[in-house]
Amino acid sequence: MTGFLLVSHALGGGTEAHVQDLTRHLLAEGARVFTARPHPPHSGHFLLTDHTGLVLTDRPPLSVHDDPAGLLAALADLGITRVHIHHLLQFGPDAPGYFTALAQAGRVRVDMTLHDYFPVCPQVTLTDTRMSFCGLQAPPHCQDCVDRLGSFLDGPVDVAAWRAANVALMRSVTALIAPSHDLVRRMQPFLDGRPIMVREHATRPDLARALAAPSRPVARRSGGRHVAVLGAVSMPKGARLLHATAQAARAAGLDLRFTVIGVTIRDDLFAALPNVTITGGYPPGEVLARIADAAPDLIWLPSVWPETFCYTLTEAVAAGVMPVVADLGAQADRLRSIGWGQIMPQAMMTDPEAAAAFLAGCQINAPPEGARAALIRRFPGSAAYYAPDQAGPA
């Protein structure tokens, strides 16, 4: 019985959705699964938990400031031979060096999935001081950004040193995995030919069923064009662009209204806009019902960074509502792959007037036959998933 340790932050989001999904698949194969989670009161410390999240109380906190011998001893006691790093956010700036040493010790196999740009961008999402896509700049530009905005690391950050430590980690692991080709294209130049395997995230069962079902027209209310935005809308997810676009639509007299099916980083600011409604948060399993209740004409994903997978795109397509994304990242690549939806020129991410006009005027099309089902990905089993000569989920 193989034992896995999945290493990740405790902040939820798409990374956590994937960690939970992978846990379910590994458990179904008979594996034993544990997690390593940050211990926030103490920088650089982490705790071991079982697959349900219960802390192993007989195991003291471990520290990335120490030699990994303590972790290796714990792994041996628990029968863990596989370590899969998902995210080192909240583990502190010494974490890449610690896990590099773990991999180089050669006593357990260490794999790593890239979920975003944290290994090269301490701001995580490649967004700069304008909250726009930075283009993945060289260290001096990135250093200036971090010095102005701060970062998700404790204390001052030397960007060049942070990148070098993460490059060493990425080169030391057995399998380096990414959920999209766009992420691979952006990260590959840092790795001098070290291969990155693409493994798209498996589709949640309820969404897979919806994607496989025939498309049904969504009942839409009369009165202008209704645009929905899904999920927790942070700055990188387009909060500023959404706010400015709603304002621009009003100023231009466009009959365009927005419903955020979820929350924003500043709901109070949106409350002053009469053409924006915020419905509040929801459990993941309710998203399709929430979309059906809102009955939008289209779903806009206003992210201003190159998404590395974009679970909300899967939800939009599963709901049968035409998605609109920027010409950037995995969101654009995945939409092109199914031949449905509208792709907004990247320049409109900094031009809310043009974005409003695009949303008001773009043609809404029904999905071609089979387009929605083409988005379904299934977990192929751990042997194929981790093997370098396999294509991963299909």
Side-chain angles (χ1 to χ4, degrees):
M1 182 183 296
T2 305
F4 284 82
L5 179 73
L6 308 184
V7 181
S8 191
H9 60 55
L11 298 173
T15 300
E16 182 63 18
H18 175 66
V19 167
Q20 293 299 324
D21 186 62
L22 181 59
T23 296
R24 286 190 292 271
H25 288 300
L26 293 174
L27 289 171
E29 293 183 357
R32 302 176 69 227
V33 181
F34 301 85
T35 61
R37 301 288 190 176
H39 190 36
H42 307 285
S43 176
H45 288 66
F46 62 96
L47 299 168
L48 302 184
T49 78
D50 68 12
H51 71 270
T52 69
L54 290 177
V55 174
L56 303 183
T57 54
D58 59 334
R59 304 285 169 181
L62 295 159
S63 172
V64 300
H65 308 306
D66 298 334
D67 185 279
L71 175 58
L72 283 166
L75 297 179
D77 288 347
L78 294 168
I80 296 171
T81 58
R82 304 282 292 272
V83 174
H84 189 159
I85 300 166
H86 287 273
H87 218 295
L88 295 181
L89 188 62
Q90 299 183 303
F91 282 80
D94 292 335
Y98 177 86
F99 285 101
T100 298
L102 179 72
Q104 291 175 341
R107 290 169 54 186
V108 294
R109 170 172 167 163
V110 180
D111 301 308
M112 182 176 182
T113 292
L114 303 172
H115 288 277
D116 51 41
Y117 293 94
F118 189 50
V120 295
C121 171
Q123 278 288 328
V124 178
T125 57
L126 305 182
T127 47
D128 59 18
T129 54
R130 303 166 299 159
M131 280 298 119
S132 298
F133 173 49
C134 72
L136 186 47
Q137 299 291 327
H141 182 101
C142 188
Q143 188 69 57
D144 180 65
C145 179
V146 168
D147 290 344
R148 293 187 186 195
L149 294 178
S151 78
F152 287 91
L153 292 166
D154 300 325
V157 178
D158 181 323
V159 172
W162 172 250
R163 288 185 178 182
N166 278 283
V167 166
L169 173 59
M170 290 186 285
R171 287 176 174 164
S172 72
V173 299
T174 300
L176 185 59
I177 300 167
S180 67
H181 290 282
D182 186 80
L183 177 53
V184 171
R185 286 193 294 268
R186 296 181 196 278
M187 292 298 293
Q188 197 74 73
F190 293 94
L191 297 171
D192 296 328
R194 194 260 189 256
I196 306 174
M197 309 187 305
V198 175
R199 302 289 187 266
E200 292 188 48
H201 298 330
T203 309
R204 207 171 68 213
D206 61 318
L207 299 181
R209 289 191 295 270
L211 289 164
S215 298
R216 297 180 181 176
V218 177
R220 298 182 177 92
R221 303 179 181 94
S222 60
R225 178 162 284 187
H226 184 193
V227 178
V229 177
L230 303 180
V233 187
S234 62
M235 287 299 185
K237 294 287 187 179
R240 181 176 293 178
L241 175 59
L242 172 60
H243 189 273
T245 301
Q247 287 182 314
R250 287 195 69 215
L254 297 174
D255 195 359
L256 198 61
R257 60 192 177 92
F258 299 84
T259 296
V260 177
I261 303 174
V263 296
T264 76
I265 194 170
R266 289 293 304 273
D267 285 358
D268 57 321
L269 294 181
F270 284 92
L273 297 177
N275 59 342
V276 178
T277 300
I278 297 175
T279 65
Y282 53 85
E286 293 183 6
V287 63
L288 298 182
R290 296 292 183 101
I291 295 170
D293 287 345
D297 297 303
L298 55 85
I299 293 176
W300 182 30
L301 310 178
S303 290
V304 296
W305 72 292
E307 296 266 10
T308 58
F309 184 70
C310 196
Y311 278 104
T312 51
L313 177 61
T314 307
E315 293 170 344
V317 175
V321 181
M322 191 190 79
V324 177
V325 304
D327 193 2
L328 181 68
Q331 60 267 50
D333 281 358
R334 294 182 69 214
L335 203 56
R336 283 194 179 94
S337 75
I338 65 171
W340 184 45
Q342 293 284 357
I343 297 179
M344 179 182 288
Q346 188 176 329
M348 290 184 184
M349 292 191 301
T350 55
D351 187 346
E353 290 79 14
F358 186 95
L359 293 170
C362 67
Q363 184 174 351
I364 298 176
N365 301 313
E369 185 175 356
R372 295 167 61 246
L375 212 57
I376 297 171
R377 297 293 182 270
R378 294 185 173 86
F379 187 70
S382 60
Y385 186 81
Y386 288 103
D389 59 343
Q390 297 292 325

